[in-house]
Amino acid sequence: MAGVKMVSALVLIVVMAVSLGGKWAAAEVHHVVGNDRGWDLPSDVAGWSSGRVFRVGDKLWFTYSAAQESIAEIKTKEEYESCDVSNPIKMFTDGLDSILLDGEGIRYFVSSKTENCKNGLKLHVDVVPKHTPEKPKVSKSKGSALALAAPPTTPTPSSAPSRISASFALFFVGLGLCFMGF
């Protein structure tokens, strides 16, 4: 009898896992700007951000010496290019700042020290929707010809209702088996 209940519990767990579609939680990415070096001139922030995908719901983490540096979020590309921090959206001065990417679009962050900004201590991120597939990446092959990497496949919206229906059906079959004692 204990074996039957164990099998029933396992069936229920499998059915629940299938009904979730294999996705236990929506993943948000925590991007530590500049990796281990943090927000610092030698960290090559532009190189760090190259090739990264920033999505709505992700977070940027800035680490820096609050005694020597602060960060300004600014509004426009012109302010970003000229390192103009005279009218920032927000100043970050704590030395460890977490910034939620809560909407689509380009966001600009620069060192509040003009000299550091002009030497490259600035970051712009293009925030894309949460479920947008990545753009194909271009890479060079050995023959120096360009090759496109295929983007990851994502389910189409039209397949979602059939997956949900199948998931519910499997869930209720598993639930029925549990109540029947199988």
Side-chain angles (χ1 to χ4, degrees):
M1 186 68 162
V4 172
K5 288 192 179 202
M6 179 70 78
V7 170
S8 297
L10 288 174
V11 167
L12 182 60
I13 289 170
V14 168
V15 168
M16 287 174 49
V18 169
S19 70
L20 288 172
K23 295 184 180 181
W24 295 96
E28 66 179 29
V29 177
H30 292 254
H31 303 275
V32 179
V33 177
N35 289 329
D36 293 341
R37 295 193 65 95
W39 181 258
D40 192 352
L41 273 172
S43 68
D44 184 23
V45 173
W48 169 84
S49 66
S50 177
R52 289 185 185 264
V53 176
F54 302 95
R55 298 185 187 282
V56 172
D58 289 358
K59 286 186 180 180
L60 294 178
W61 286 86
F62 289 93
T63 59
Y64 53 94
S65 169
Q68 298 177 2
E69 186 65 69
S70 61
I71 300 168
E73 182 173 5
I74 53 179
K75 296 175 190 159
T76 67
K77 183 177 181 179
E78 292 76 25
E79 289 173 323
Y80 175 79
E81 289 175 350
S82 67
C83 296
D84 178 5
V85 295
S86 61
N87 190 22
I89 295 171
K90 186 169 183 180
M91 293 293 294
F92 300 94
T93 59
D94 292 339
L96 178 62
D97 297 297
S98 170
I99 300 163
L100 176 65
L101 301 177
D102 56 357
E104 298 173 35
I106 297 176
R107 294 183 64 178
Y108 301 99
F109 303 92
V110 299
S111 169
S112 63
K113 293 187 172 185
T114 305
E115 184 177 328
N116 287 349
C117 178
K118 290 189 181 211
N119 285 325
L121 193 52
K122 55 186 174 178
L123 172 71
H124 75 278
V125 295
D126 187 1
V127 183
V128 298
K130 194 172 249 181
H131 299 293
T132 299
E134 293 183 30
K135 295 177 185 173
K137 298 194 184 317
V138 177
S139 62
K140 290 186 180 181
S141 65
K142 288 183 181 178
S144 75
L146 293 179
L148 286 178
T153 57
T154 55
T156 60
S158 62
S159 69
S162 63
R163 268 192 314 154
I164 292 171
S165 298
S167 296
F168 277 116
L170 286 173
F171 174 75
F172 286 115
V173 167
L175 192 60
L177 288 172
C178 287
F179 282 117
M180 293 173 57
F182 288 102

